[in-house]
Amino acid sequence: MSTVEIKDLHKSFGSLEVLKGIDFTVETGQVVCVIGPSGSGKSTLLRCVNLLEQPTSGRVVVEGIELTDPDVDIDAARRRLGMVFQQFNLFPHLTVVRNIMIAQERVLKRKRAEAERIARENLEKVGLLEKADAYPAQLSGGQQQRVAIARALAMNPTLMLFDEPTSALDPELVGDVLGVMRQLAEDGMTMLVVTHEMAFAREVADRVVFMDQGVIVEDGPPQQVIGDPQHERTREFLRRVL
Ligand code: ADP
Ligand code: MG
């Protein structure tokens, strides 16, 4: 069973065609890493998967629900997707635990006590239970990103989307965030991850997708796409990032 199916996805901004016919699937429980140069359309692809962007044409199916069907309840479908961005976007005036509770209460209508219990469970999962009552500004960037992951997990997503989650972090803070993501993968979470962390992609991904200029150039297991790329464009990209 596949969690995500993307068929012939196109996205243009005005006359700029950013996605030029993307096809791929993420099977349930798989981790797929998307790599590629800046400007190749990776963020746009993720934003089309959760319909932060409306595709120009093509199909996006998540757990059998066609998000590109005009009659679909987008908010209900989107609730199944967790999204973690480069910027953590925590509310600065709320404590860590409140940050994780607020969408549970407002969107899922969970009672306060239940939301707090689930918030603390997820803080424990990302190794930050002792920071529950701190404010975001009192945390390092890596800790804030782990809170953002806990916040997404508290919504019980069936798919987690990550867009360069470690790119804004100081190098010494990257490892803890990748460690949490690795644990999530081991626990069986379905994940679509845009990243420049080639070691993570090589070790954790079931598949690596290399994108360039709005098309998928290579899609396969990491030992193939990273270890033995078939296309010159992939080889050139890897020479620059490895
Ligand atoms: P990547 O994440 O691979 O760096 P993006 O998906 O962010 O690439 O961007 C791909 C291209 O689409 C870039 O040329 C970017 O300028 C353009 N683009 C992205 N979002 C918009 C937008 N909202 N309006 C216009 N152009 C955009
Ligand atoms: Mg991007």
Side-chain angles (χ1 to χ4, degrees), residues 57-237:
S57 65
R59 279 157 45 93
V60 177
V61 181
V62 176
E63 290 194 306
I65 299 171
E66 182 169 349
L67 300 190
T68 33
D69 177 344
D71 296 328
V72 87
D73 178 351
I74 290 298
D75 290 329
R78 209 187 260 143
R79 232 167 265 164
R80 314 292 292 158
L81 310 178
M83 179 98 191
V84 175
F85 301 90
Q86 190 172 322
Q87 300 303 333
F88 335 118
N89 306 318
L90 301 177
F91 292 113
H93 61 292
L94 296 179
T95 61
V96 161
V97 71
R98 290 291 303 151
N99 262 283
I100 303 174
M101 291 166 64
I102 191 160
Q104 297 187 62
E105 292 175 90
R106 292 198 182 160
V107 179
L108 301 183
K109 309 292 178 204
R110 284 182 184 147
K111 296 279 188 299
R112 194 179 169 111
E114 189 192 7
E116 178 159 2
R117 178 179 59 75
I118 293 169
R120 288 180 186 276
E121 273 172 21
N122 282 290
L123 273 175
E124 183 157 35
K125 216 179 255 183
V126 302
L128 287 175
L129 188 52
E130 80 281 5
K131 299 291 186 188
D133 300 310
Y135 285 86
Q138 298 170 306
L139 305 184
S140 73
Q143 290 171 331
Q144 290 187 52
Q145 189 60 299
R146 283 147 66 196
V147 172
I149 294 172
R151 177 180 56 184
L153 292 175
M155 304 298 282
N156 299 114
T158 50
L159 168 69
M160 286 284 286
L161 304 171
F162 292 87
D163 193 357
E164 299 198 33
T166 60
S167 292
L169 301 178
D170 291 334
E172 75 273 20
L173 303 176
V174 167
D176 287 343
V177 172
L178 294 179
V180 165
M181 292 169 64
R182 187 184 291 257
Q183 186 61 50
L184 266 185
E186 279 169 17
D187 293 345
M189 177 63 77
T190 311
M191 294 164 57
L192 182 57
V193 184
V194 175
T195 187
H196 293 295
E197 296 291 336
M198 291 303 138
F200 177 85
R202 198 194 290 264
E203 290 159 24
V204 180
D206 296 290
R207 274 185 20 246
V208 174
V209 170
F210 172 67
M211 270 182 77
D212 191 21
Q213 297 180 19
V215 298
I216 291 177
V217 178
E218 288 197 49
D219 177 347
Q223 58 272 26
Q224 179 191 314
V225 175
I226 299 176
D228 183 24
Q230 301 303 300
H231 293 261
E232 180 50 33
R233 280 199 275 176
T234 318
R235 286 196 284 268
E236 191 203 321
F237 172 76

